[in-house]
Amino acid sequence: MRLTTAAALAATTAFGAGAAAVAAGRHVSELALRPSASGVDPDPLTVHAVTGQDITLTRTLGTVRRGVHGLIAAGVHVTVGEVLSTAPDSVTRRLVRINRGGVAPGDTLRLTPQVHIGTPGSALGLEYRDAEIPAELGLLPAWFVPGARDTWVVLAHGLGTSRELGMNLMAFLAKLRLPVLAFSYRNDAGAPSSWDGIGHLGDSEWRDLDAAMRYAVRHGARRLVLHGWSTGATMALRATSHSPLRALVSGMVLDSPVLDWQDTVRAAAAARGAPRVLLPLGVRATEGRTGLHAERIAEAAHPERLDVPALVFHGPDDTLAPWGSSRQLARQRPDLVTLHAVSGASHAAMWNANPSTYEEALRRFLTPLL
């Protein structure tokens, strides 16, 4: 009897420990696969002071980064520019504009790479029209900005941001007379939800990019340039490998590409407070919940599979998608891959660090493709 009781107790304990591990892994995977909206930095920032020309914030690694960035809270969106001064616990930046709501000392905001909100018309004064793209889960809302050329740029944002991120580049692309299609995909606000409601780091979302490519071709595009941020870059790689329209892709622009999903899951969950000891459980839970396999994303970026020019924007300060994979890709395919290294930029914020330099590199890349 004693042996039976002991065995039952051990089995119950083991079952309890196993259930706890499953629950912990699922929680960690949730942190990685359901990131906060608008791609915000998880660190809250306190507003210390606001004038008509500048704003003073808590000093963090994010608030001292160069360039132009957004600040966001519920009902609030602000664009800030260059750093004007720093103190041990604060930083003062140029206040470019208040896009929505208002800010006052004591408010809490978070950084985002999205510097515009609204529509291409309201935010940038561009001619545009709303579109609906038929896709496997339903209709995807999109913006189309017309241009005179028959090469279209299709913009794919990353997990946790929205198609508003593409407005960072729309004015520049409009000057090149390029038609632009920016779309929302599964699990975005206003777009259909997947059965599980979580992101798959581009592994299934690429099929929505494929739908956007088909829409572009039906409406006059003869060639396509795919421009993706983060998991949007992964989507571009998958589409270029698997889409029936891949022969029409003349080039790719990959900003902060996720080339190793396991590293990104660990980094994203850790950034949102997951204990380091639980990160391996989160990776296993992510694989089980999504069907992701490291090989499937890696094969899309395998050097031998690339057959179109690719411009990669990435840098050493990206803590979510380590840029070692981007450097390796550029070394292995120097004939097709150009790596534009950006220092001092966080994930998916390569343009934000220095818009003019980013746009000049992009112009040089796009010109021979038109």
Side-chain angles (χ1 to χ4, degrees), residues 34-41 72 110-112 114 160-162 272:
R34 295 187 195 269
S36 53
S38 302
V40 296
D41 190 304
I72 195 168
R110 285 178 167 83
L111 278 169
T112 172
Q114 296 184 184
T161 57
S162 74
R272 299 190 66 198

Side-chain angles (χ1 to χ4, degrees), residues 105-269:
D107 288 350
T108 299
L109 305 173
R110 285 178 167 83
L111 278 169
T112 172
Q114 296 184 184
V115 301
H116 301 287
I117 60 170
T119 69
S122 65
L124 303 170
L126 293 176
E127 177 189 352
Y128 84 102
R129 67 172 180 262
D130 292 309
E132 290 185 323
I133 298 172
E136 66 176 359
L137 298 184
L139 295 175
L140 308 176
W143 294 318
F144 172 63
V145 178
R149 302 185 187 274
D150 57 14
T151 295
W152 287 35
V153 179
V154 183
L155 303 177
H157 64 85
L159 184 65
T161 57
S162 74
R163 57 182 159 145
E164 289 176 318
L165 179 63
M167 289 197 286
N168 288 358
L169 290 175
M170 285 183 186
F172 165 76
L173 295 171
K175 291 178 182 177
L176 297 181
R177 299 183 297 143
L178 284 163
V180 177
L181 184 65
F183 67 102
S184 300
Y185 53 82
R186 62 191 66 192
N187 300 318
D188 281 351
S193 296
S194 61
W195 68 270
D196 55 8
I198 58 175
H200 287 219
L201 301 177
D203 191 50
S204 58
E205 293 88 348
W206 78 267
R207 294 193 292 273
D208 292 341
L209 173 56
D210 178 57
M213 294 163 63
R214 285 185 272 115
Y215 178 94
V217 171
R218 285 196 304 270
H219 289 81
R222 295 194 176 184
R223 303 289 290 173
L224 302 168
V225 173
L226 309 181
H227 189 131
W229 291 262
S230 185
T231 54
T234 309
M235 292 160 59
L237 285 163
R238 290 297 303 271
T240 304
S241 296
H242 299 288
S243 170
L245 298 177
R246 59 186 177 273
L248 300 183
V249 177
S250 58
M252 291 184 293
V253 183
L254 311 176
D255 187 311
S256 312
V258 173
L259 303 179
D260 185 329
W261 72 263
Q262 294 169 322
D263 276 351
T264 296
V265 165
R266 284 189 287 263

Side-chain angles (χ1 to χ4, degrees), residues 2 7 24 27 33 54 84 105 120 124 148 159 218 229 250 340 345 353-354:
R2 290 194 189 95
H27 173 68
L33 300 178
D54 55 58
L84 301 175
L124 303 170
L159 184 65
R218 285 196 304 270
W229 291 262
S250 58
H340 184 88
N354 193 326

